[in-house]
Amino acid sequence: MAVPTLNLALQGGGAHGAFTWGVLDALLASGRCHPGAVSGTSAGAMNALALAHGWMEGGPEGAREALTRLWHAVAAGVPDGTLVLAGSDALAPRLTPLAQWMLHWTHYLAPEHANPLDLHPLRDLLHQQFDFERLRRECPLPLYIAATQANTGRLRLFREHELTPDMVLASACLPTLFRPTWIDGEPYWDGGYSANPPVLPLLLDEHARDTLLVLLMPRRYPSTPRSAADIHARTLDLAFNAPLLTELRQLGHWQAQARRGWWPALRRSERLLRAGRFHLLDGGEALAHQAPHSRLAVQRQYFEALRDLGRAETQRWLDGPGQHVGHTETADLNALFGGA
């Protein structure tokens, strides 16, 4: 029986992107689907890059190895005890006083003052982990890497045939921590401000009808913030999730309109929206109780705990809704993300 192709939309979320590592690892290990087009923002872009590069080198097992190398390398780039207190529970990391102090000063110092040497821990890592020249020639998967034009707020999608380390850095450029990444004379910030992650290009992909969105942000939080710090953190979360919610609401409306018509769809976009099958793996529910600062917790123990959580959630999805991939959609865009 033919294995279905599954497009993947990978949300950003800092360290929580290790949950998506677990999702991808479980999907690849299952052999139940092949990755199709992949979109990603910030940590989602890093996961998309590792998936594509590893698949290019060695198929599913190569992709699993590349994802493991990536996350272990990210953890190795920060000495133990620098950002996360030793002895923290695996899924409840506590920031060190140094990390808290650094985070506090991001409210008052611009990156060019706090980081005058423009040090970026991911820059060297990208060069070490990935062969971008080969990837531009041989990338086996269509990629859509999201970044935000800092002076206009417009979304730019970088594709696999043009991808450079700077384009990936742009997708993960938090403006309170790093200077803008300049590409073609334009400054870019984190893609989460404009698409987190992009979904429309996947639904319009002609090679696969099934698209899986891997969410890291909660669709509903368990409580309302009360402290100033928690309110600030929630406003940032809402800002990073708003573009996705807007896109999904609009896509749900368009898809419903396309399916409602009794006449044959004539336009390409209408045909693809009508035929598209949407699926959701809601990691936000599993991560809802993680403290906001945990997205900055660079620690191998934490990454691997999130990976294991992602694996477990994916296995549950594979045993349930995932059985219908290739046949029917398992998530209704209008029902999940339509108007209140």
Side-chain angles (χ1 to χ4, degrees):
M1 186 172 67
V3 176
T5 299
L6 183 63
N7 294 331
L8 298 164
L10 309 179
Q11 193 169 47
H16 292 182
F19 177 93
T20 304
W21 167 25
V23 171
L24 297 175
D25 188 74
L27 288 174
L28 292 164
S30 74
R32 298 258 296 272
C33 57
H34 286 315
V38 187
S39 70
T41 298
S42 197
M46 300 288 290
N47 279 319
L49 178 63
L51 173 65
H53 197 278
W55 193 277
M56 176 181 70
E57 291 185 315
E61 286 305 311
R64 295 180 71 192
E65 292 170 7
L67 285 158
T68 299
R69 285 197 306 270
L70 168 66
W71 285 97
H72 284 175
V74 172
V78 177
D80 286 344
T82 303
L83 297 180
V84 179
L85 287 171
S88 295
D89 291 342
L91 278 172
R94 292 176 294 143
L95 296 186
T96 63
L98 173 63
Q100 294 178 43
W101 179 83
M102 292 169 60
L103 193 59
H104 171 78
W105 279 103
T106 61
H107 298 295
Y108 304 101
L109 294 178
E112 62 184 271
H113 301 129
N115 184 9
L117 298 180
D118 195 24
L119 301 176
H120 200 311
L122 293 180
R123 185 177 289 120
D124 290 340
L125 182 148
L126 288 172
H127 285 283
Q128 293 163 5
Q129 294 285 317
F130 306 111
D131 182 346
F132 281 86
E133 184 176 345
R134 183 184 173 194
L135 194 69
R136 288 191 292 270
R137 293 194 315 267
E138 304 175 22
C139 186
L141 309 175
L143 297 180
Y144 299 88
I145 304 302
T148 305
Q149 212 282 337
N151 290 338
T152 66
R154 291 178 179 173
L155 168 67
R156 179 166 175 182
L157 295 178
F158 297 111
R159 301 301 312 280
E160 68 281 358
H161 62 270
E162 62 179 340
L163 206 57
T164 66
D166 277 350
M167 292 175 182
V168 181
L169 290 177
S171 184
C173 181
L174 286 172
T176 56
L177 298 179
F178 305 110
R179 299 182 189 185
T181 301
W182 289 79
I183 299 169
D184 299 332
E186 295 288 349
Y188 286 90
W189 282 346
D190 196 291
Y193 294 110
S194 54
N196 192 21
V199 177
L200 178 60
L202 305 186
L203 290 179
L204 296 182
D205 179 71
E206 297 193 62
H207 301 98
R209 291 187 176 182
D210 293 275
T211 294
L212 173 66
L213 169 62
V214 181
L215 273 185
L216 300 181
M217 295 281 194
R219 288 191 291 126
R220 185 177 184 86
Y221 291 86
S223 61
T224 304
R226 292 182 175 274
S227 71
D230 288 345
I231 291 170
H232 177 71
R234 178 67 57 82
T235 60
L236 292 178
D237 281 4
L238 295 178
F240 270 95
N241 220 22
L244 174 66
L245 295 178
T246 300
E247 182 182 19
L248 293 177
R249 187 179 301 115
Q250 190 65 60
L251 285 174
H253 174 73
W254 289 341
Q255 192 174 60
Q257 290 291 101
R259 289 173 174 174
R260 194 171 293 133
W262 56 268
W263 58 89
L266 299 179
R267 289 179 296 183
R268 172 182 173 274
S269 59
E270 191 176 357
R271 291 198 309 273
L272 293 172
L273 281 174
R274 181 180 288 187
R277 295 184 289 258
F278 188 74
H279 310 276
L280 176 67
L281 201 157
D282 192 352
E285 186 173 341
L287 298 170
H289 294 283
Q290 293 293 302
H293 69 251
S294 64
R295 295 190 183 95
L296 301 176
V298 180
Q299 183 195 51
R300 180 164 172 166
Q301 174 185 259
Y302 185 49
F303 289 168
E304 292 182 343
L306 289 174
R307 175 204 60 195
D308 293 344
L309 186 61
R311 282 174 174 166
E313 289 295 321
T314 305
Q315 191 56 55
R316 278 191 281 273
W317 182 82
L318 286 168
D319 292 340
Q323 298 182 67
H324 301 286
V325 171
H327 304 287
T328 59
E329 70 179 8
T330 60
D332 186 316
L333 281 169
N334 251 342
L336 289 169
F337 304 104

